[in-house]
């Protein structure tokens, strides 16, 4: 009887040992896969794109309201001064609540392209800067963070401009008379229609202010986020989550302040279409800045700052929190 019991225990031990060994091998295989050079190089881009798409899904209604505020009263010194609540009420009254998500497919495509490249490039640049600084026994400074943010933002904006253009066209379509609306079904339909009717080059309309806006936004967002988090880490005993949220809020303010004028001009340039005389209202970024300043006043560039901040700061918070979490999962 004792011999049978011992044999059973031995068999059980062998099964448990085999199961643990198999589990360990599975975990090791997964870990080894995550640490292959190709995957490590791709992860910042994948995590960046996913985090941006999550944030855009949350923030899209605010972005829709921001665009409508920027386009109100075009060409008039006084013009209407819509409020966020008023714009929201008008959109819902003219259609349905889901109209606030108009252009979501374009927003997601933009994030899949733009934020993937933006955060991926920034993380890649910062990794190389950190490695170089470590070799020299130094730390990465604010100027280096700023340069990395500017470069990442500019590169990503140029790549993502067609999706950004489609987003603006879809969001502004409802402002046109019913007979003139394009009624785009999706971002692909918008891109195809713009390329067919205006030429492929038109997909990069407003690229100059888009790039400058992205550089200004990333200078404010990524550089100030990285710097604020570094300062909070050394000066406070807050948890990592609180430090990330606080740094995101700080970064969101500076990102909004530096980038809003360029975002305003970008929206105007991407929304414009040729009139009956075949001419466009603006001949480029500088011309748009000059005409808006002359016809509508310089403060028009900062109209809707509160809405823009509410759009930028939470988007930054969600993006950076999700990116941090995905980075932790895949470290």
């Amino acid at each position: 009887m004792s011999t049978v019991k011992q044999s059973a225990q031995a068999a059980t031990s062998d099964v448990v040992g085999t199961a643990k060994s198999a589990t360990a091998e599975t975990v090791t295989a997964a870990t080894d896969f995550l640490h292959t050079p190709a995957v490590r190089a791709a992860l910042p881009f994948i995590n960046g794109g996913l985090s941006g798409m999550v944030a855009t899904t949350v923030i899209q209604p605010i972005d829709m309201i921001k665009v409508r505020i920027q386009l109100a009263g075009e060409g008039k010194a006084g013009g209407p001064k819509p409020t966020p609540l008023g714009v929201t009420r008008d959109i819902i009254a003219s259609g349905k609540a889901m109209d606030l998500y108009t252009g979501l497919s374009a927003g997601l495509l933009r994030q899949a392209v733009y934020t993937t490249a933006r955060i991926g490039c920034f993380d890649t640049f910062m990794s190389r800067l950190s490695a170089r600084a470590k070799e020299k026994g130094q730390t990465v400074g604010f100027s280096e963070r700023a340069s990395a943010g500017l470069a990442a933002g500019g590169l990503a904006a140029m790549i993502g401009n067609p999706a950004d253009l489609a987003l603006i066209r879809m969001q502004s379509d409802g402002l046109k008379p019913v007979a003139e609306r394009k009624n785009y079904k999706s971002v692909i339909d918008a891109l195809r229609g713009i390329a067919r009717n205006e030429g492929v080059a038109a997909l990069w309309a407003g690229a100059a202010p888009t790039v400058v806006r992205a550089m200004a936004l990333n200078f404010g967002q990524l550089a100030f986020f990285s710097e604020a988090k570094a300062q909070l880490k050394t000066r406070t005993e807050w948890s990592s989550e609180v430090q990330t949220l606080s740094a995101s809020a700080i970064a969101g303010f500076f990102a909004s302040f530096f980038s809003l004028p360029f975002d305003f001009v970008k929206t105007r340039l991407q929304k414009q279409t040729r009139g009956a005389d075949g001419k466009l209202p603006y001949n480029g970024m500088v011309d748009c800045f000059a005409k808006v300043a002359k016809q509508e006043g310089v403060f028009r560039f900062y109209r809707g700052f509160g809405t823009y901040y509410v759009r930028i700061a939470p988007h930054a918070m969600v993006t950076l929190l999700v990116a941090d979490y995905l980075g932790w999962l895949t470290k």
Side-chain angles (χ1 to χ4, degrees), residues 83-137:
T83 64
L85 287 177
V87 171
T88 304
R89 188 166 51 248
D90 290 344
I91 292 173
I92 294 175
S94 63
K96 50 188 176 181
M98 288 307 295
D99 285 352
L100 290 167
Y101 275 91
T102 298
L104 178 60
S105 61
L108 291 176
L109 177 61
R110 179 178 180 273
Q111 292 302 317
V113 177
Y114 171 69
T115 303
T116 294
R118 178 173 69 97
I119 293 184
C121 287
F122 181 75
D123 284 351
T124 302
F125 295 157
M126 286 300 297
S127 294
R128 293 179 180 176
L129 289 170
S130 297
R132 189 176 66 181
K134 188 175 181 179
E135 289 176 1
K136 298 179 179 179

Side-chain angles (χ1 to χ4, degrees), residues 225-246:
F225 172 76
S226 185
E227 181 68 18
K229 194 168 183 181
Q231 293 292 333
L232 290 171
K233 190 173 182 179
T234 58
R235 296 171 183 271
T236 70
E237 296 181 358
W238 298 345
S239 67
S240 177
E241 292 78 11
V242 174
Q243 289 177 4
T244 298
L245 284 171
S246 301

